[in-house]
Amino acid sequence: MPAISSLLTGCAVGCFDADKVDGHTLHVGIGREREPYTGIGRGEINIAGMPIVRDATGGIGTPTSDNERTKLSDNTTHLLVTVHLFDPEIDAENVLAQFTDLFTRYGLASDIRHTLFSLD
């Protein structure tokens, strides 16, 4: 479903097992030189200069690869999704509505909450 959502909107999408995320706050920043990051199925990757979402332990997602530590599994019951809108012309509310519809209709999701923020 995230792949379909990404294709429909043109936005990078991160999907994480929310129960594996450390803490209740995410931070968005830029990857640092030699910052450790293990991409799913990719091993250690260089994230220097890339946008990155971090939890209390470290990086969990970039626009090119989610982290091995917080990846989804067959046991995932709580999903955390990030949608990266790099084009200021994209209507964020419309994208959220599309994602909510897809996850509700095809993923049987419930209790969907969202937060919009921007980096200026």
Side-chain angles (χ1 to χ4, degrees):
M1 196 138 30
I4 293 170
S5 303
S6 183
L7 288 171
L8 289 174
T9 63
C11 300
V13 177
C15 290
F16 315 98
D17 184 324
D19 295 325
K20 296 177 183 175
V21 173
D22 185 11
H24 299 286
T25 303
L26 296 177
H27 301 274
V28 177
I30 301 297
R32 298 180 288 270
E33 289 293 330
R34 293 181 294 286
E35 181 174 358
Y37 191 88
T38 306
I40 297 173
R42 298 178 65 188
E44 290 299 313
I45 60 175
N46 180 3
I47 59 167
M50 294 177 61
I52 184 164
V53 177
R54 295 182 181 97
D55 66 6
T57 298
I60 66 167
T62 71
T64 60
S65 182
D66 293 338
N67 194 289
E68 191 74 36
R69 176 174 59 87
T70 53
K71 73 180 180 182
L72 303 178
S73 73
D74 290 341
N75 298 321
T76 299
T77 57
H78 299 101
L79 181 66
L80 170 67
V81 178
T82 59
V83 181
H84 307 269
L85 305 171
F86 295 111
D87 182 349
E89 301 299 315
I90 294 174
D91 181 347
E93 292 291 341
N94 184 46
V95 169
L96 282 172
Q98 286 180 341
F99 272 71
T100 299
D101 178 59
L102 288 170
F103 277 90
T104 302
R105 189 181 328 172
Y106 301 109
L108 304 177
S110 61
D111 193 24
I112 297 175
R113 295 173 262 167
H114 65 270
T115 301
L116 284 174
F117 67 92
S118 65
L119 303 175
D120 295 324

